[in-house]
Amino acid sequence: MSPEDARRAAPGRKRGRPPAGRETSGEPGARERILASARAEFAADGYDRASVRAIARGAEVDAALVHHYFGTKDQVFAAAVEGALAPAFAAPDLLAGGPRDGMGERLVRLVFSVWEDDRTREPALAVVRSAVNNETAAAIFRRLVTRHLMARLARDLDLPDAELRAELAVAQLVGVAMLRHVMRIEPLASEDPEALIGRLAPVVQQHLTGD
Amino acid sequence: MSPEDARRAAPGRKRGRPPAGRETSGEPGARERILASARAEFAADGYDRASVRAIARGAEVDAALVHHYFGTKDQVFAAAVEGALAPAFAAPDLLAGGPRDGMGERLVRLVFSVWEDDRTREPALAVVRSAVNNETAAAIFRRLVTRHLMARLARDLDLPDAELRAELAVAQLVGVAMLRHVMRIEPLASEDPEALIGRLAPVVQQHLTGD
């Protein structure tokens, strides 16, 4: 490997000199630890209260390394939450892959798979907690929800009011997530996921394809 | 009027000496100006970022007067938002006052009347923006929603799973408010209220009384 290839292969090196601190760039796992710490901080505190310093502390690296890898706090947020959520929302064929009258249930299952999975619940909480109070986070929420979810739904529906239908369906699921995971209102917070999917699927179907 | 009666009649005086500052207690309108300023601050910034100092500035009074009238920031929040919203949610006969198959539409209209009215939209935004990141505000949200809305709904429904039904119905309306008023996702954000009520009423009815 030439020195040039080695430089390209080492993540974080290409933007400049390694930062000072406990951790130098290239240490395996630092990047993933930073993303995990960022998801935990943003989920617990929301965008405004989370700090790059606290994210660095949680990842056991120097704050300079966080900036070195990801740039500004906005960019850390985007990398941490969008990187974790976009693949889940982009799961192929969940929406188009089946009969039209099963779209409601497939959409509900897709969204529940995000909230009920430990790896994606935290970034989802981070987006919701942050987006209500911060325009950067709200823009990421809109991008995630509109690009990854509503646009595909609307395309699959192929109806003149498809966008509004998709948004009302998603609103039902956003509201359930708010009361169940953010506000933790009982009995919704502890209800069995399959029981909820059974109640939500026909209602979401009604929004998507009902009269 | 005896001196004792006069003291009791003057709001704010009974807790002690008037505070120092631009405004002394008893000035007509100061109390209402503080509440209005608090609603605006909490709606714009959420609980954590809003400060008693900024609330006082908006009301053109001294911060000490805010504490004198209302106590802590928690108590200012509760007075400002719960005071504004509780009467709207407690509007009599909106839920029980009609046939059972019209409960869905009556509930949707009740919630829309809060969000579409300038006087209550701001405190409603304040609660939603604050409750996702702050436990004090979340407790007030739970109290407002559970005591004023879900408990009455569940009582009127008189079904074994009435609480869960009421929560799923309210979740639909919370989600619509999030996407329409907080995240401002189009076309939902600009859609005519009556068109939305027409789409939401059957879905909410399904949650409340459907199979």
Side-chain angles (χ1 to χ4, degrees), chain B residues 31 37 65-66 72 98 101 108 142 162 208:
Chain B
R31 202 184 155 85
S37 173
L65 191 68
V66 177
T72 64
D101 64 4
V108 176
R142 280 192 291 266
L208 295 178

Side-chain angles (χ1 to χ4, degrees), chain B residues 21-85:
Chain B
R22 276 174 281 169
E23 183 90 52
T24 55
S25 61
E27 195 264 343
R31 202 184 155 85
E32 278 312 307
R33 288 207 311 279
I34 292 169
L35 290 174
S37 173
R39 284 191 288 268
E41 290 291 326
F42 287 124
D45 286 343
Y47 184 89
D48 284 321
R49 281 195 292 180
S51 71
V52 168
R53 188 182 297 264
I55 290 166
R57 202 182 311 121
E60 299 183 345
V61 301
D62 195 274
L65 191 68
V66 177
H67 291 301
H68 179 73
Y69 275 145
F70 298 104
T72 64
K73 183 172 154 185
D74 284 17
Q75 293 168 313
V76 178
F77 182 84
V81 307
E82 200 163 1
L85 292 177

Side-chain angles (χ1 to χ4, degrees), chain A residues 20-32:
Chain A
R22 275 175 282 169
E23 183 89 53
T24 56
S25 62
E27 195 265 342
R31 201 184 157 85
E32 278 312 307

Side-chain angles (χ1 to χ4, degrees), chain B residues 168-211:
Chain B
L168 290 169
V170 169
Q172 170 74 74
L173 299 169
V174 166
V176 168
M178 283 282 290
L179 299 191
R180 180 171 166 87
H181 298 287
V182 181
M183 309 288 190
R184 296 176 183 277
I185 289 181
E186 296 294 353
L188 186 54
S190 305
E191 183 61 271
D192 173 59
E194 282 299 321
L196 291 177
I197 291 168
R199 284 175 186 266
L200 291 166
V203 156
V204 168
Q205 185 72 42
Q206 164 72 21
H207 280 310
L208 295 178
T209 61
D211 297 331

Side-chain angles (χ1 to χ4, degrees), chain A residues 42-49 127-135 138 141-142 145-146 150 161 163-165 167-172 174-176 178-179 182-189 191 195-196 199-200 202-203 206-207, chain B residues 42-49 127-135 138 141-142 145-146 150 161 163-165 167-172 174-176 178-179 182-189 191 195-196 199-200 202-203 206-207:
Chain A
F42 288 124
D45 286 343
Y47 183 88
D48 284 321
R49 281 195 292 180
V127 175
V128 172
R129 284 236 158 87
S130 302
V132 294
N133 283 305
N134 179 277
E135 193 39 52
F141 176 91
R142 280 192 291 265
V145 168
T146 57
M150 290 188 198
D161 54 357
E163 278 192 311
L164 185 59
R165 285 173 177 273
E167 290 175 10
L168 290 170
V170 169
Q172 170 74 73
V174 166
V176 168
M178 283 281 291
L179 299 192
V182 181
M183 308 288 187
R184 297 176 183 277
I185 289 181
E186 295 293 355
L188 185 54
E191 183 61 271
L196 291 177
R199 285 176 184 266
L200 291 165
V203 155
Q206 165 71 22
H207 279 310
Chain B
F42 287 124
D45 286 343
Y47 184 89
D48 284 321
R49 281 195 292 180
V127 176
V128 172
R129 283 234 159 89
S130 302
V132 294
N133 283 305
N134 179 277
E135 192 39 52
F141 176 90
R142 280 192 291 266
V145 167
T146 57
M150 290 187 196
D161 54 357
E163 277 193 311
L164 185 60
R165 286 173 177 274
E167 289 175 11
L168 290 169
V170 169
Q172 170 74 74
V174 166
V176 168
M178 283 282 290
L179 299 191
V182 181
M183 309 288 190
R184 296 176 183 277
I185 289 181
E186 296 294 353
L188 186 54
E191 183 61 271
L196 291 177
R199 284 175 186 266
L200 291 166
V203 156
Q206 164 72 21
H207 280 310

